Amino acid sequence: MKQPMFLRLRKRLAVKPEALITMGDVCQIYWDGEREEAIKRMPIYRVKPQDGNLIIIDIMQVIQRLRSAYPEVELDIQGAPQLIVEVLNPKKNANPVLVVLVWLLLFVGSGLAIMNFHTDVSMLQVHQRIFYLITGQENKQPLWLQIPYSIGIGLGMILFFNHIFKKKINEEPSPLEVELFMYQQSLDQYYIQHENKENQRTKV
Amino acid sequence: MTIWIGLLLVIIGLGGGLAVGSGLVAFITVLDIIPRLTQLTNARRFIRAFEWSLVMGALFFTLIDFFHWRTRLPVFLTSIYGALAGVFIGTLAAGLTEVLNVFPILAKRIHMDGKLLYLLMAMVFGKVTGSLLQWFLRL
């Protein structure tokens, strides 16, 4: 009885510019325990400079390559139908000036946003009211309440993003990490749809 | 004031309270603050207690505000209240989806995926500074 060859495409692959992508890079293979090593070394794609930094390798390319080498093979394909190859260009480091600029932007912007919020909800009146209810004294500027309050805002944000207790309490990701993951996943979906020429065909 | 006007007022008050109360709960739920706090403290068993604390807090502060239940406690107690209120507003500000949605995009645009912490600290310091400036300068 003939053994089917099991193969499964990886999800993402990061390579250097002009790298030679082999079968072993793009998928996991299991066949009869002997010929896999040779198959894994089979080249499937050479990264060209004009490819940009994203390439999609479709399962059809892999099948074609395998069938041309082993016409008789029976394939059992698992997992996703395409793989995203990211070409790592060396000069992609953060520009320090830009970083400082963005830092200042966020700093000023978030400060403005919290002040807008406080005005919006009449936070000062509420503070004065709470101060009066607790102490029985009128105070136009209840700093005893307001300074801890301000520091508390910072603590609350850090708490929310889990940077003090990082990985100490549990393994769960912070909301920001989840959000980053979701964003990356949407991008990947977009690439798969738009960069893969086999996915779109206009017949006129 | 006839009984009918009184009844009308009761209905208006009850309706307004219902709308505002459910709105408050919906707002806090949308921001995922309570799940986040239970996740951090491993207190999933007490989530019911946290729900009740939210309801009781809203009710209690409404009562002391409306009925002027004034006490004469020492001033430093307002600091404890302030710190707690601040942490809450901090989680509120951090949970706003604008913040969460802007970060991944910004980080990718300037190739800072690995250094998100710096951007985060910019926002944290910005909030603290903005808030302090507002209170000190009476803006």
Side-chain angles (χ1 to χ4, degrees), chain A residues 79-185:
Chain A
Q82 58 277 97
L83 160 114
I84 297 169
V85 182
E86 194 183 345
V87 183
L88 301 168
N89 288 317
K91 53 172 193 267
K92 282 240 163 148
N93 259 328
N95 180 349
V97 180
L98 214 60
V99 172
V100 170
L101 218 66
V102 170
W103 201 96
L104 285 175
L105 184 78
L106 286 174
F107 179 79
V108 172
S110 60
L112 181 69
I114 198 81
M115 287 166 83
N116 282 341
F117 166 74
H118 286 156
T119 312
D120 210 22
V121 301
S122 307
M123 190 61 92
L124 181 62
Q125 277 98 302
V126 174
H127 281 169
Q128 287 162 351
R129 179 82 180 142
I130 294 272
F131 190 91
Y132 174 71
L133 289 173
I134 293 177
T135 64
Q137 304 163 24
E138 294 274 0
N139 191 340
K140 286 266 161 251
Q141 197 180 18
L143 288 178
W144 274 94
L145 192 160
Q146 290 175 324
I147 294 170
Y149 166 83
S150 305
I151 297 164
I153 294 177
L155 284 181
M157 290 185 75
I158 294 173
L159 193 73
F160 190 85
F161 288 129
N162 195 15
H163 273 291
I164 329 177
F165 306 110
K166 201 166 196 181
K167 301 280 182 239
K168 245 185 220 164
I169 293 171
N170 53 35
E171 298 281 292
E172 284 175 57
S174 87
L176 199 57
E177 284 165 318
V178 174
E179 204 62 38
L180 270 175
F181 173 78
M182 302 280 274
Y183 180 63
Q184 189 63 53
Q185 213 168 36

